[in-house]
Amino acid sequence: QVHLVESGGGLVQAGGSLRLSCAASGSITRINTMEWYRQAPGKQRELVAEMTRGGSINYANSVKGRFTISRDNAKNIEYLQMNRLKPEDTGVYYCYPEYLIENGSTWSGRGQGTQVTVSS
């Protein structure tokens, strides 16, 4: 099994920055994919950024040029660096990784979520 802990959210003024982290522990062999989603009140869940096992990266148009997804494979931590934040970035952010675990199967799950609030 894998246990995920998200951190890094908070309240920030527009134009500010935050870095979200998603730390995983457990019987992990390697990470396959990583996705970051956000859920804003009254809105559908939005895929913000994703990184494949091969390192291909995709961003939602709304965050391109402002957000950066990255990972530390040695520490099993994934990051979402968010710069030039806007009020419309407000929401609960979730990491959603998929790992290859030691028994040879894959494990995927969602972090507990971290609140990001951007004030105007």
Side-chain angles (χ1 to χ4, degrees), residues 18-90:
L18 288 172
R19 188 177 77 161
L20 307 184
S21 299
C22 179
S25 59
S27 304
I28 297 168
T29 298
R30 67 162 189 262
I31 188 168
N32 284 340
T33 60
M34 161 57 70
E35 297 172 333
W36 285 94
Y37 287 86
R38 66 186 177 193
Q39 180 76 58
K43 295 185 179 180
Q44 286 189 326
R45 187 181 67 171
E46 178 184 18
L47 176 61
V48 174
E50 62 180 350
M51 179 186 285
T52 68
R53 179 187 167 194
S56 298
I57 294 174
N58 295 293
Y59 297 100
N61 288 333
S62 57
V63 307
K64 278 182 182 177
R66 301 187 297 121
F67 288 15
T68 303
I69 188 173
S70 63
R71 62 191 181 206
D72 184 329
N73 290 327
K75 296 181 179 179
N76 290 322
I77 302 176
E78 289 74 49
Y79 302 99
L80 184 68
Q81 177 68 44
M82 306 186 295
N83 298 327
R84 304 198 307 277
L85 282 160
K86 303 176 180 180
E88 51 264 43
D89 294 319
T90 294

